[in-house]
Amino acid sequence: MKEVKQVIIMRKDLGMTKGKMMAQAAHASLAVILDMMKNEPVIAINSNIAFIKRSFIVPRNSSINKWLENSFTKIGLKCESEEELLHLYMKAKNADLLVSKIIDSGLTHFKGIPTWTCIAIGPAWSEDIDKITENLSLY
């Protein structure tokens, strides 16, 4: 049976705290899914509360469906620099994989400078992700 996963690739050179890395990884993982969803009209409850309904259709035998119904497997990997991070992002885009990149606003870290921190690739079939990430180490 084919395996499915999502990888989060974090920049090692930034020296982020563990808490900061966890927040950035969560942003990246969720961003992939939210990017897949389509916004539908705002449903207003009253003048103080509004909901935006989001939905998406997932093919039954797809890697995304398997990931959502089963494992939510995530692997943390590291890269050395912004240049390497953005190169990996483009490789994943060019391979037609789901991918998100996260830029931190710099409000609490990075001295007010917006900074690319991490990317998420997948969920996708492990063999497809491994072609992009085979030379990276676990974080």
Side-chain angles (χ1 to χ4, degrees):
M1 182 183 301
K2 291 175 89 171
E3 295 298 316
V4 66
K5 65 184 174 185
Q6 181 180 64
V7 298
I8 312 293
I9 304 169
M10 193 73 55
R11 285 180 56 190
K12 181 180 163 186
D13 63 314
L14 294 176
M16 291 181 278
T17 64
K18 290 177 183 174
K20 184 68 171 178
M21 287 192 295
M22 289 175 62
Q24 297 300 295
H27 292 325
S29 180
L30 185 58
V32 171
I33 301 303
L34 290 176
D35 287 348
M36 293 172 50
M37 299 175 128
K38 294 182 179 176
N39 288 334
E40 295 183 15
V42 174
I43 303 167
I45 302 300
N46 62 43
S47 61
N48 296 323
I49 300 173
F51 293 95
I52 298 174
K53 184 178 176 187
R54 293 179 174 258
S55 62
F56 68 112
I57 297 172
V58 178
R60 182 174 303 281
N61 294 320
S62 68
S63 59
I64 300 159
N65 185 60
K66 182 176 179 184
W67 188 77
L68 289 171
E69 288 187 349
N70 293 303
S71 64
F72 290 104
T73 299
K74 291 177 191 66
I75 309 294
L77 302 174
K78 58 186 169 184
C79 70
E80 300 296 326
S81 67
E82 178 180 299
E83 180 181 4
E84 184 180 11
L85 184 77
L86 297 178
H87 175 73
L88 291 162
Y89 173 81
M90 289 310 301
K91 281 180 73 172
K93 287 287 275 187
N94 292 337
D96 243 3
L97 295 174
L98 296 172
V99 61
S100 68
K101 61 183 173 181
I102 300 302
I103 187 166
D104 185 79
S105 64
L107 296 178
T108 60
H109 287 72
F110 314 124
K111 299 180 172 107
I113 300 167
T115 304
W116 295 110
T117 57
C118 64
I119 63 173
I121 304 173
W125 301 118
S126 294
E127 62 193 30
D128 295 332
I129 292 177
D130 292 345
K131 292 174 188 172
I132 307 292
T133 63
E134 62 190 352
N135 295 322
L136 299 178
S137 300
L138 293 172
Y139 210 104

